């Protein structure tokens, strides 16, 4: 079984999506409208040096998101290689889900449960889609793809695999992306220790950047499929 090929392909698309998200993300847009309240000196500094926000917040968050997504996909591949129902793997899938980590704390219990169920179902469908790859003997992703699918099947497969932002598109108001920044990490002076931390919320910009990145990666992936199969 070629679990390695499936993981290689997913990692390839995920890495492209992470890089595209970093390129699409606008720190200036994320900070637009941030009020100069307690912690305002920090926000004001970030506005003037937007690369700091990217270095301190965006890049670590994207790295963590990539690691969790890869870890989750390894469980999805286990499901694809087994005869067990997705429910057997549900707890591990949910524990590794990046979006569930940023659900709003005031989200009603029923809505939270709906999103959790959708996460499990989305990963079930991803696992079902990857079965033909997992069952191939080829070690490489594209050799396994070309052996497992025809052109239309390959296009359908990449559409499923690169649908990273489905929860954000379906429930954009259910998530909050935010961070707290210590003034001591940015400012100097004797009074820095007395300043409060700055709370930065960048939900709208994070969703916009991630959805735009998905569109780019999907377009590139479909173009590569067409090149390889035509």
């Amino acid at each position: 079984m070629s679990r390695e090929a499936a993981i290689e392909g997913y990692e390839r698309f995920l890495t492209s999506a992470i890089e595209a998200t970093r390129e699409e993300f606008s720190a200036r847009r994320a900070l637009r409208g941030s009020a100069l309240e307690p912690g305002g000196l920090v926000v004001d500094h970030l506005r003037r040096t937007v690369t700091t926000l990217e270095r301190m917040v965006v890049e670590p968050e994207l790295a963590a998101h990539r690691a969790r997504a890869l870890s989750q996909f390894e469980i999805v591949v286990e499901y694809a290689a087994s005869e067990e129902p997705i429910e057997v793997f549900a707890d591990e899938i949910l524990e590794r889900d990046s979006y569930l980590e940023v659900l709003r704390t005031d989200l009603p219990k029923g809505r939270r449960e709906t999103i959790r169920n959708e996460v499990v179902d989305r990963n079930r469908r991803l696992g079902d889609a990857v079965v033909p790859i997992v069952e191939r003997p080829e070690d490489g992703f594209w050799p396994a793809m070309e052996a497992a699918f025809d052109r239309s099947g390959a296009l359908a497969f990449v559409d499923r695999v690169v649908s990273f932002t489905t929860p954000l598109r379906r429930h954009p108001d259910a998530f909050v992306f935010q961070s707290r920044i210590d003034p001591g990490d940015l400012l100097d002076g004797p009074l820095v220790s007395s300043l409060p931390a700055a709370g930065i919320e960048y939900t709208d910009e994070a969703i916009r950047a991630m959805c735009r990145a998905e569109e780019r990666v999907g377009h590139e992936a479909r173009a590569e499929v067409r090149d390889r199969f035509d």
Side-chain angles (χ1 to χ4, degrees), residues 21-218:
T21 299
R22 183 180 289 109
E23 293 170 6
E24 291 286 346
F25 189 90
S26 167
R28 292 190 185 280
R29 189 182 288 113
L31 290 170
R32 189 177 299 156
S34 297
L36 295 181
E37 296 169 352
L41 285 176
V42 176
V43 175
D44 189 41
H45 182 82
L46 287 171
R47 283 179 179 152
R48 289 183 279 111
T49 57
V50 293
T51 55
T52 304
L53 179 66
E54 295 168 357
R55 175 177 57 83
M56 296 185 64
V57 176
V58 178
E59 292 184 7
E61 288 294 331
L62 287 175
H65 178 81
R66 181 182 183 278
R68 291 178 68 84
L70 282 174
S71 177
Q72 185 183 62
F73 187 71
E74 290 175 359
I75 304 302
V76 171
V77 170
E78 286 187 26
Y79 158 70
S82 78
E83 299 295 330
E84 300 289 347
I86 192 64
E87 288 74 20
V88 172
F89 305 89
D91 286 347
E92 289 183 278
I93 286 171
L94 293 169
E95 286 172 4
R96 290 162 169 78
D97 194 80
S98 294
Y99 297 129
L100 295 181
E101 287 285 299
V102 293
L103 280 177
R104 292 188 178 275
T105 56
D106 60 350
L107 203 66
K109 181 179 179 180
R111 185 125 183 260
R112 183 180 295 267
E113 191 63 26
T114 294
I115 295 172
R116 287 170 63 88
N117 290 339
E118 289 181 4
V119 166
V120 173
D121 188 58
R122 178 171 59 90
N123 282 278
R124 176 190 60 77
R125 287 182 277 112
L126 176 58
D128 293 344
V130 86
V131 167
I133 300 292
V134 172
E135 291 180 342
R136 293 301 309 175
E138 293 84 3
D139 292 332
F141 171 67
W142 282 111
M145 274 278 287
E146 292 167 359
F149 298 110
D150 60 14
R151 182 178 184 275
S152 62
L155 287 169
F157 174 81
V158 297
D159 281 344
R160 174 64 64 195
V161 171
V162 303
S163 297
F164 300 112
T165 64
T166 301
L168 301 181
R169 294 178 185 273
R170 290 178 61 87
H171 306 279
D173 63 329
F175 304 95
V176 57
F177 292 83
Q178 60 187 357
S179 183
R180 296 191 69 78
I181 297 180
D182 188 331
D185 294 334
L186 297 176
L187 306 172
D188 297 318
L191 299 179
V192 168
S193 61
S194 65
L195 295 174
I200 309 297
E201 180 179 338
Y202 52 100
T203 302
D204 290 345
E205 180 57 16
I207 292 176
R208 188 201 68 81
M210 294 172 79
C211 290
R212 284 281 297 161
E214 181 184 292
E215 291 170 4
R216 283 175 52 183
V217 172

